[in-house]
Amino acid sequence: MPPGLLPPPATLTYGPNAQQTVECWDPVGSAACRGVAVLIHGGYWRAAFDASLMVPLADDLRRNQWAVANVEYRRGGNGGGWPATGEDVRAAVAAIAASSWREQHAGPMIGIGHSVGGQLALLAADLMDAVVALAPVTDVARTYRERLGEDAAAQFFGISPDEDPALYESASPSSQLPLAVPALVVHGASDQRVPVSHSVDFVASARTAGGHVDFDSPHSLDHLAAIDPSTRSWESVRQWMVHLGSQLPNLRTSSSA
């Protein structure tokens, strides 16, 4: 099958809303599965952006011996909001981990989130073996104050961080440290949608808190290029995932092992 034309996925439902679904693909070929990649898309919490953003990565991963779970969740305008959106992603990850589909695939479960998906992946890190955050939103109060994404935080949360600081803290990975699992943060120095300074500060804080966090900041990588599987940075991400899988102890084995 040509790249970009995925076969029909198995669909995992984790709630009653039409958005509460996960598309699951098996890896290509007969080689041993490297693990399960859980993809979480971005789009600044807006309903117009959905899990199809991650399909190119899904195709690349399954061709490189990864099983892939592509998460959809409720967003602004379709039943989302906070904490519902974050609860959706945690419920989706838990459903994947408990599914018979997961039991068929050996190896670690690694979350991969882009932009707001990076925020959501980091907040669900304790449910997985590791996390890759691509140009992540890590401090939503700062996102609000800097009016990023055309005032995306103001639109989604509907209240300012001064009015409800606890709400913003609960949605910010920077306020939920230390991370429970190893993480890789990839954030291009030329990113205009989420400034790289957010990740620089997050990584420093995460390391100070005792977390294992690797950081890569390619000079020319812009925001959307972070989810382009043809880039050198994405190849580095896959290499990191393989290396991590070889290092993690007590990895889950398939039920047939």
Side-chain angles (χ1 to χ4, degrees):
M1 181 171 291
L5 295 177
L6 277 70
T11 301
L12 176 66
T13 300
Y14 65 90
N17 189 283
Q19 303 297 319
Q20 294 171 311
T21 59
V22 182
E23 296 176 324
C24 301
W25 286 279
D26 298 331
V28 172
S30 59
C33 179
R34 296 187 187 277
V36 174
V38 179
L39 305 184
I40 307 170
H41 72 86
Y44 267 128
W45 307 287
R46 292 187 170 107
F49 300 97
D50 61 24
S52 65
L53 287 169
M54 304 299 270
V55 165
L57 294 189
D59 185 49
D60 178 81
L61 285 163
R62 61 185 290 275
R63 293 174 186 275
N64 284 277
Q65 300 169 250
W66 289 87
V68 180
N70 194 17
V71 174
E72 191 56 276
Y73 54 90
R74 291 174 293 170
R75 305 173 301 288
N78 65 359
W82 201 264
T85 293
E87 291 170 347
D88 270 12
V89 171
R90 290 187 64 85
V93 173
I96 294 163
S99 69
S100 59
W101 177 81
R102 168 61 172 124
E103 290 295 336
Q104 297 170 18
H105 301 296
M109 190 160 77
I110 301 179
I112 305 172
H114 174 242
S115 195
V116 160
Q119 169 219 8
L120 297 167
L122 289 166
L123 291 173
D126 59 301
L127 303 178
M128 296 180 278
D129 295 302
V131 169
V132 176
L134 306 172
V137 170
T138 54
D139 184 336
V140 293
R142 185 174 176 181
T143 300
Y144 177 99
R145 294 187 177 105
E146 294 180 9
R147 306 188 67 177
L148 299 180
E150 298 78 41
D151 286 321
Q155 293 175 17
F156 179 71
F157 291 93
I159 194 170
S160 76
D162 292 331
E163 293 171 302
D164 195 343
L167 181 73
Y168 277 77
E169 288 178 4
S170 72
S172 297
S174 60
S175 298
Q176 307 298 318
L177 298 173
L179 289 172
V181 299
L184 168 65
V185 177
V186 179
H187 203 142
S190 62
D191 196 321
Q192 299 298 309
R193 297 293 288 171
V194 181
V196 69
S197 57
H198 288 227
S199 282
V200 170
D201 293 345
F202 172 77
V203 169
S205 296
R207 289 173 174 172
T208 298
H212 178 104
V213 185
D214 294 315
F215 181 51
D216 185 22
S217 182
H219 177 73
S220 61
L221 191 74
D222 67 24
H223 194 66
L224 286 178
I227 51 173
D228 180 350
S230 70
T231 63
R232 183 175 298 178
S233 69
W234 175 248
E235 183 179 354
S236 297
V237 168
R238 280 199 283 101
Q239 291 172 355
W240 184 90
M241 292 167 64
V242 171
H243 176 73
L244 184 86
S246 71
Q247 299 299 311
L248 284 171
N250 303 318
L251 296 181
R252 180 195 295 235
T253 58
S254 68
S255 58
S256 61

